[in-house]
Amino acid sequence: MENNKGTAVVIGAGIAGLSSAFYLMKDGWDVTIIDKKSEIENCSYGNAGMLVPSHFTPMAAPGIVAQGIKWMFDSKSPFYVRPSLSWKLMDWGLKFLKHANRQHVDNNSKDLGALNLYSSRLYDELSSMEGFDFELQQNGIIMMYKTKEVQHEEQEMAFRARDLGLEVELLDAGQLQALEPNMKVEALGAAYYKCDGKLYPQKLMRQLIDSLKRGGVRLFDDVEVLDFKVSAGNVQEVVTSKGNFKADQFVLAPGAFLPNLSAKLGIKMPLMPGKGYSFMYTPEGQVGLNHAALLLEARVAVTPMNEKIRFSGTMELGTANDKINVNRVKGIVESIPDYYPELKIDYPQDKVWYGYRPCTPDGLPYLGRCRKISNLTVAAGGGMMGLSLGPAFGKTVADILSERSVPVEIMNFRPDRFDR
């Protein structure tokens, strides 16, 4: 492919970075990707693999603070804030409290839902391209609940989803069981979001990388960004542990490493790493599940993939570390038979994967050009929707750099909204 648009350096090789590089490559840009970690350590590889237009509500929402406080006193609960004297954590928390209100949700649900739907359509297009087969299934996700309280909350959410044009059906226990004839399900009911889907992240990431390499994109891993050389409101080059990288345009898509890099540019983009855990389970015989599901009270994601089942969950906020909190994983394991009584799973000691969701304090992604630096575009902060939003991030970056109009509204996602 002839490269005639110019040169671009993408910082970050997660789904946001790879998708940005992919659509820039398609547009004719000469692209280089650099990443601090090796490919297999990236957060996008081990996540739940869910495509979630249903997640139109920002994480900063009414009720989440009170619920989070209750959960903090249970070592196996779905949510935990690791005690710390970190000013960054306190600043993030204060901003989160400010945004956890109904007005914030109402102001942003439409745009967040539209961005997810746009990304889902792009996944459909990507799956039909040569060289891509990542087990995409647009057959919906089941949001299962066991209590009257959560049933009421989920019904209210389903009504709002319908107002936004999402296809969702409320199921009683019998209708839910009918969707999963090969696996006993115990729940009061569920909301069936037919607009959602799933895929196998490992295949997607590997196929994206293969496509990029075939297209002439250069990938460098184990590269640490040390600084940026900025002049006259433009990044001139990135200073790294393996030399300097020059380009016409720069894309910042480093996942949970965003705040450290943006600080080097003098731009405040608050973000906390939300640690999540997952493991693969191989059932005896064939996989009995037809649909991905969210076990709402437990906040556990269940995804059939690659003839196995991936279980994932928990949100552990705090500074990054390489330790596995056994109680958090046990919380996932112990919740599974409450919904699927036939699944008796032992703690998978040697199979636990963890990664960091890049969580913004208002629950909205950072997406768009920066005002201070005209050749810097950001695609980060997808939180629990990171994989789901990947293609939308990438296509939007390509549209911005190629000076095309973006088909979805991204004004509220501007990356320097906290920079004062």
Side-chain angles (χ1 to χ4, degrees):
M1 180 181 296
E2 183 181 358
N3 302 116
N4 53 22
K5 289 288 184 71
T7 56
V9 167
V10 177
I11 302 172
I15 187 61
L18 294 182
S19 296
S20 297
F22 178 80
Y23 287 104
L24 288 170
M25 175 188 73
K26 292 291 186 184
D27 265 2
W29 288 84
D30 183 347
V31 183
T32 298
I33 303 174
I34 60 176
D35 194 89
K36 185 176 182 178
K37 294 189 174 185
S38 66
E39 295 168 2
I40 61 170
E41 293 177 304
N42 201 286
C43 183
S44 303
Y45 282 81
N47 65 43
M50 292 181 170
L51 311 183
V52 286
S54 58
H55 286 36
F56 56 87
T57 300
M59 188 172 77
I64 190 63
V65 176
Q67 179 66 72
I69 291 172
K70 285 191 286 186
W71 274 335
M72 282 185 66
F73 294 98
D74 180 357
S75 64
K76 296 179 181 178
S77 70
F79 180 78
Y80 178 64
V81 179
R82 200 178 321 112
S84 170
L85 295 176
S86 163
W87 164 246
K88 288 182 179 179
L89 178 58
M90 289 187 284
D91 179 60
W92 187 96
L94 290 171
K95 287 181 170 60
F96 185 89
L97 288 171
K98 179 182 176 181
H99 289 92
N101 59 72
R102 174 56 55 194
Q103 182 179 359
H104 176 66
V105 170
D106 291 344
N107 288 345
N108 293 285
S109 292
K110 182 178 179 181
D111 293 344
L112 202 54
L115 190 66
N116 263 299
L117 281 171
Y118 177 47
S119 204
S120 182
R121 293 193 296 270
L122 290 171
Y123 267 123
D124 288 337
E125 293 178 7
L126 186 63
S127 69
S128 67
M129 295 181 185
E130 185 178 352
F132 287 95
D133 178 14
F134 42 86
E135 299 184 22
L136 177 67
Q137 284 188 291
Q138 298 282 22
N139 65 339
I141 293 178
I142 303 169
M143 314 291 187
M144 296 165 52
Y145 43 77
K146 294 180 68 71
T147 63
K148 288 285 188 180
E149 179 184 8
V150 176
Q151 179 187 40
H152 175 72
E153 293 171 358
E154 199 59 27
Q155 287 175 344
E156 291 296 315
M157 186 73 73
F159 297 146
R160 291 203 294 274
R162 287 171 179 170
D163 289 341
L164 293 173
L166 301 180
E167 188 177 5
V168 54
E169 181 181 351
L170 292 170
L171 308 175
D172 61 24
Q175 292 169 319
L176 170 60
Q177 184 63 75
L179 282 181
E180 295 294 349
N182 303 316
M183 177 76 71
K184 183 174 176 57
V185 179
E186 286 189 356
L188 188 61
Y192 178 28
Y193 281 83
K194 298 180 179 181
C195 54
D196 287 2
K198 69 179 183 70
L199 54 79
Y200 186 27
Q202 278 95 330
K203 284 188 177 181
L204 169 68
M205 301 294 283
R206 174 50 55 194
Q207 290 163 12
L208 271 173
I209 289 170
D210 289 346
S211 175
L212 292 170
K213 288 180 177 178
R214 288 195 303 269
V217 173
R218 295 168 297 279
L219 290 90
F220 299 90
D221 57 13
D222 294 316
V223 177
E224 183 177 2
V225 174
L226 304 176
D227 206 352
F228 295 87
K229 291 187 178 180
V230 181
S231 177
N234 279 272
V235 176
Q236 302 299 322
E237 52 189 311
V238 184
V239 181
T240 82
S241 57
K242 294 187 177 179
N244 294 6
F245 291 82
K246 298 181 179 181
D248 302 315
Q249 298 285 337
F250 294 83
V251 179
L252 201 52
F257 298 107
L258 178 67
N260 293 337
L261 297 187
S262 68
K264 297 179 188 297
L265 291 159
I267 304 172
K268 188 175 183 180
M269 296 185 203
L271 183 148
M272 287 302 297
K275 194 179 209 176
Y277 299 95
S278 73
F279 60 90
M280 296 294 283
Y281 169 72
T282 305
E284 296 181 4
Q286 292 185 330
V287 176
L289 290 177
N290 295 329
H291 300 81
L294 285 173
L295 316 181
L296 293 179
E297 288 86 358
R299 295 295 198 276
V300 168
V302 183
T303 317
M305 60 173 71
N306 198 35
E307 300 182 354
K308 299 179 182 181
I309 303 174
R310 174 166 289 168
F311 295 99
S312 50
T314 84
M315 175 69 80
E316 184 180 321
L317 287 174
T319 52
N321 63 56
D322 59 0
K323 297 178 181 179
I324 291 176
N325 188 325
V326 174
N327 278 340
R328 322 283 322 152
V329 183
K330 285 184 176 178
I332 297 174
V333 172
E334 292 172 7
S335 70
I336 294 166
D338 291 341
Y339 299 82
Y340 302 106
E342 295 173 342
L343 293 180
K344 309 294 185 183
I345 301 172
D346 295 327
Y347 175 69
Q349 296 186 27
D350 59 341
K351 299 178 182 178
V352 177
W353 176 95
Y354 68 86
Y356 290 98
R357 309 177 189 94
C359 300
T360 62
D362 58 2
L364 303 176
Y366 294 124
L367 182 60
R369 274 201 191 276
C370 288
R371 290 172 298 173
K372 287 183 178 178
I373 302 175
S374 59
N375 68 338
L376 179 70
T377 304
V378 179
M384 293 182 290
M385 301 174 291
L387 184 90
S388 183
L389 292 174
F393 276 7
K395 186 65 167 63
T396 298
V397 166
D399 286 342
I400 290 171
L401 267 61
S402 296
E403 299 182 346
R404 291 189 297 264
S405 61
V406 178
V408 289
E409 180 56 64
I410 61 170
M411 178 59 68
N412 288 351
F413 309 146
R414 59 192 184 279
D416 42 18
R417 59 184 180 271
F418 291 106
D419 194 57
R420 298 287 187 267

